[in-house]
Amino acid sequence: MSELLVESAKHKIGHILEIEFNDGHVVCVDFAPFIFSNGHPDYEPYKSVENFLDFEIVDGNLNWDDYTMIFPVEDLYNNRLIKR
């Protein structure tokens, strides 16, 4: 299988992005539970939707502020940002 990459991400509402991958899979991911429960000061700015939406797709992954916040592509694909 080829490398899994993020092709596009579209804002839906709040901290929810609709993410499309290079294999055609599309998933809506709610980042709010991660951002608001993490407690790490690096993630504080992303509680603001305006700051949260300031992301880029870099090398097939979502990237916030030069890798301040980034997730494994497989976790995005499976919509599992918080480990249970």
Side-chain angles (χ1 to χ4, degrees), residues 4-75:
L4 189 59
L5 304 170
V6 172
E7 287 285 320
S8 67
K10 181 172 41 173
H11 182 235
K12 297 306 275 181
I13 190 169
H15 290 81
I16 299 173
L17 297 178
E18 181 181 87
I19 304 170
E20 182 174 359
F21 298 87
N22 61 330
D23 69 351
H25 179 72
V26 176
V27 63
C28 285
V29 178
D30 185 356
F31 292 81
F34 176 85
I35 293 168
F36 285 87
S37 69
N38 189 288
H40 193 285
D42 283 353
Y43 302 128
E44 278 297 310
Y46 305 115
K47 290 180 178 179
S48 157
V49 173
E50 182 179 342
N51 290 336
F52 170 73
L53 293 177
D54 190 21
F55 65 86
E56 297 177 300
I57 297 173
V58 178
D59 297 328
N61 201 342
L62 293 178
N63 175 21
W64 284 263
D65 194 31
D66 197 27
Y67 302 98
T68 300
M69 187 166 71
I70 192 166
F71 301 90
V73 175
E74 294 80 16
D75 289 351

